[in-house]
Amino acid sequence: MQEVAKQVYDFAGSNNPLAPLVKEALDVIDEGLDACGEDRVSISFNGGKDCTVLLHLFAGALGKRRSASQSALPIPAIYIAVPSSFPVLEDFIQDAAKDYNLDLFYCRPPQKDTIETVVTPAPGSITQGQDYIHPLPAPRGVGKAKGGEGMRQALEMYKAQFPHINGILIGTRRTDPHGDRISSRCPTDEGWPRFDRINPIINWSYADVWTFLRQLNVPYCKLYDEGYTSLGSTYNTFPNPALLVMPSTNPDTQPLPSASSIISPTNALTTVMSNTHAIPQPDALSPTEVLSTYISSIHTNPGETLNGTSMSSVNHYPSTFSSPPQYHPAYMLKDDHLERAGRGLNIQSVAI
């Protein structure tokens, strides 16, 4: 733990552009530990990229405060499982619990009380300028979102098991659902178990998260290397279509898709909707399938047009893949707004 402390505090004091945000996060953690009590603060850890950053920072902050004889003390932590989580994610959580010496409380609310609390808008809302990439405004409190009851029950179970814990570190960022309505420290909603919610990386961006993980060589869940950018349950989580690698005779020159590209998840979904005149069902159409369908539909000869645009002026891609689709790793996503483009349509989801 002392080694992690030296690493993160040296980084915070460096000239790296991310250093001020790292210092701010460490200060928020220290303030939370001082306010709640060093042995009364836990971390919510679900194996996602944001929580992985937070865990490394928390271990560093504790390592600086604890003496050598205290370094073996476990770190209090809670894992609230989503319905049907990825086995590889569960494996990563187990590994992290060992590596960071977590006293990890596994909490699995009843299956009927899903704890995936962020509503992904249905495709029909595209007519209002919204889609699964640009979601509708989030409810004001997680307790008011669908699935919030399961989350509340999980925290009640944790409070009953560990009544001395009164602060929980959470890896929420401003761009996350509900993130624009909270501060670095705030209490839980009325009617919920009483905890201080401590949000050290609230001001970090998607790119900041990946800069930290990669520059400090922090291990993370390998799903992110397979094109996943936001993880929920297996029911609603897919590789991000914005990171799809198009077949090419020269993969090294293959440009990354972007929000401004004619082949984007937004354009893909809009085109499919106009062709089907129906809302795709979640179990029949994933974001990846939407994009693949769109790619197939624009495989035309030079001179043909699509929505009035000459196809001779855009890239042409093969309409089929000779092998399973491949994806760029999550850290190569350049547009933060596309972070959740791989989440299922019209399904309850939670970002981690």
Side-chain angles (χ1 to χ4, degrees):
M1 195 176 290
Q2 275 72 25
E3 292 180 1
V4 175
K6 184 178 188 317
Q7 181 192 45
V8 296
Y9 279 94
D10 283 352
F11 189 92
S14 71
N15 294 324
N16 190 288
L18 186 60
L21 282 176
V22 173
K23 183 181 185 304
E24 177 187 67
L26 291 169
D27 288 344
V28 170
I29 293 172
D30 278 331
E31 290 169 3
L33 291 171
D34 289 339
C36 299
E38 188 172 317
D39 59 344
R40 295 175 179 269
V41 175
S42 178
I43 180 172
S44 176
F45 183 71
N46 54 21
K49 58 187 184 300
D50 302 329
C51 291
T52 301
V53 167
L54 186 57
L55 177 58
H56 202 70
L57 291 169
F58 190 30
L62 289 175
K64 184 179 181 182
R65 299 166 71 100
R66 292 179 175 178
S67 64
S69 61
Q70 296 174 316
S71 61
L73 293 175
I75 298 176
I78 176 174
Y79 166 45
I80 306 176
V82 300
S84 186
S85 59
F86 286 86
V88 67
L89 180 61
E90 295 276 346
D91 290 343
F92 172 72
I93 292 171
Q94 291 274 10
D95 291 341
K98 294 177 182 177
D99 293 342
Y100 289 90
N101 191 24
L102 300 183
D103 179 14
L104 187 62
F105 178 73
Y106 280 76
C107 189
R108 300 180 186 275
Q111 188 71 19
K112 63 184 179 66
D113 294 319
T114 173
I115 57 97
E116 296 187 273
T117 59
V118 180
V119 178
T120 302
S125 61
I126 285 179
T127 56
Q128 302 173 6
Q130 305 289 339
D131 59 16
Y132 60 89
I133 299 172
H134 307 96
L136 295 169
R140 285 198 170 274
V142 69
K144 300 178 182 179
K146 292 182 178 180
E149 178 61 19
M151 179 72 77
R152 185 182 65 80
Q153 290 180 2
L155 292 179
E156 286 179 343
M157 293 168 61
Y158 190 57
K159 192 69 170 179
Q161 187 77 15
F162 302 95
H164 66 287
I165 297 294
N166 55 27
I168 298 182
L169 294 171
I170 303 172
T172 301
R173 293 183 285 117
R174 290 284 179 210
T175 54
D176 290 333
H178 322 298
D180 60 342
R181 296 181 175 92
I182 62 177
S183 60
S184 58
R185 276 184 59 205
C186 54
T188 49
D189 295 340
E190 184 178 353
W192 283 54
R194 302 309 298 168
F195 292 103
D196 268 2
R197 294 179 294 183
I198 306 168
N199 307 287
I201 62 171
I202 188 70
N203 294 319
W204 290 39
S205 69
Y206 178 87
D208 294 332
V209 167
W210 283 111
T211 296
F212 182 88
L213 291 174
R214 301 188 72 223
Q215 290 195 6
L216 274 66
N217 294 314
V218 179
Y220 55 82
C221 179
K222 65 181 181 181
L223 284 174
Y224 291 115
D225 287 334
E226 299 173 8
Y228 292 85
T229 54
S230 177
L231 302 180
S233 73
T234 60
Y235 300 137
N236 63 5
T237 305
F238 308 90
N240 194 319
L243 291 173
L244 184 65
V245 178
M246 301 303 177
S248 171
T249 56
N250 187 0
D252 293 335
T253 62
Q254 176 69 45
L256 277 174
S258 67
S260 61
S261 170
I262 189 169
I263 301 182
S264 71
T266 305
N267 291 340
L269 189 58
T270 302
T271 299
V272 171
M273 285 296 296
S274 65
N275 290 338
T276 62
H277 302 286
I279 297 177
Q281 295 302 309
D283 59 351
L285 193 62
S286 73
T288 303
E289 291 167 332
V290 168
L291 189 57
S292 298
T293 300
Y294 183 63
I295 293 169
S296 299
S297 72
I298 67 166
H299 183 57
T300 59
N301 296 320
E304 293 183 355
T305 62
L306 175 67
N307 296 330
T309 301
S310 171
M311 296 307 295
S312 62
S313 63
V314 301
N315 292 327
H316 294 269
Y317 299 99
S319 58
T320 59
F321 291 90
S322 59
S323 60
Q326 301 295 312
Y327 295 84
H328 296 284
Y331 57 80
M332 293 185 72
L333 185 68
K334 302 304 180 185
D335 189 337
D336 286 14
H337 293 95
L338 299 180
E339 179 179 352
R340 293 176 182 80
R343 302 305 291 269
L345 306 178
N346 199 25
I347 304 176
Q348 310 310 316
S349 60
V350 63
I352 56 180

